[in-house]
Amino acid sequence: MGYRRIHVRVPFVADATLPGKKKEGVKARTVDIGEGGFCITEPSDVLAESYYHITITTAGGDQFGMFARLVRQDGNIAGFQTVEMDSRAREVITLLVAEYQMTPEFIRQLDEFELLSQRFVDDQGNELDISFDTDTDSD
């Protein structure tokens, strides 16, 4: 089973609002999020394949926005690729990913998708070397 994303996505449930035909826009809930994109569920209106400015509101009332392109729709699930995000959005997502990487669920994903044995490339197609350092107690 291959993992096709460059950026890690983490589970993340929050309110999402996209521009739509109605004044209040299209309402949805996020499923996951990462620097490269996110997924929403049950949008309140049909989405056209286009670019959107999405506003995400966390349970704590924090808001951030980003520009993204709709890349797939499967029933009530829609996947977006991030095109541009401001520093606030990047800060929130970086923190979410860092926290998730400390969970047992992340370790299960490493194993499930065989992430440590895959070939990784950058945006230009250059192969990246991945290594992990371990802390050793030298005292």
Side-chain angles (χ1 to χ4, degrees):
M1 202 182 259
Y3 193 80
R4 301 177 312 188
R5 294 191 174 108
I6 294 172
H7 302 282
V8 172
R9 284 204 193 171
V10 300
F12 178 67
V13 177
D15 292 327
T17 306
L18 299 81
K21 298 173 189 166
K22 299 176 184 173
K23 184 177 180 179
E24 66 273 5
V26 177
K27 303 291 184 190
R29 300 278 290 163
T30 60
V31 174
D32 62 22
I33 196 164
E35 203 169 315
F38 58 93
C39 186
I40 62 169
T41 187
E42 300 181 17
S44 63
D45 204 352
V46 176
L47 299 172
E49 287 195 26
S50 186
Y51 291 85
Y52 292 89
H53 181 267
I54 290 93
T55 302
I56 296 174
T57 306
T58 67
D62 229 2
Q63 278 193 339
F64 59 92
M66 62 184 74
F67 286 96
R69 177 176 67 94
L70 178 66
V71 292
R72 71 173 176 86
Q73 280 185 297
D74 298 319
N76 285 332
I77 300 287
F80 290 84
Q81 178 183 25
T82 303
V83 176
E84 184 180 323
M85 72 174 71
D86 62 22
S87 61
R88 176 68 183 135
R90 189 172 312 279
E91 177 184 316
V92 169
I93 292 169
T94 299
L95 180 61
L96 287 167
V97 170
E99 288 173 354
Y100 184 71
Q101 288 175 334
M102 302 301 286
T103 67
E105 179 61 28
F106 177 71
I107 302 303
R108 281 191 289 278
Q109 279 189 345
L110 287 176
D111 186 42
E112 179 183 348
F113 294 108
E114 299 177 357
L115 291 175
L116 298 180
S117 64
Q118 290 193 25
R119 181 175 161 254
F120 291 92
V121 295
D122 64 15
D123 292 337
Q124 289 76 41
N126 301 312
E127 190 166 346
L128 301 173
D129 289 325
I130 306 294
S131 62
F132 294 91
D133 294 327
T134 58
D135 290 335
T136 57
D137 190 21
S138 58
D139 292 336

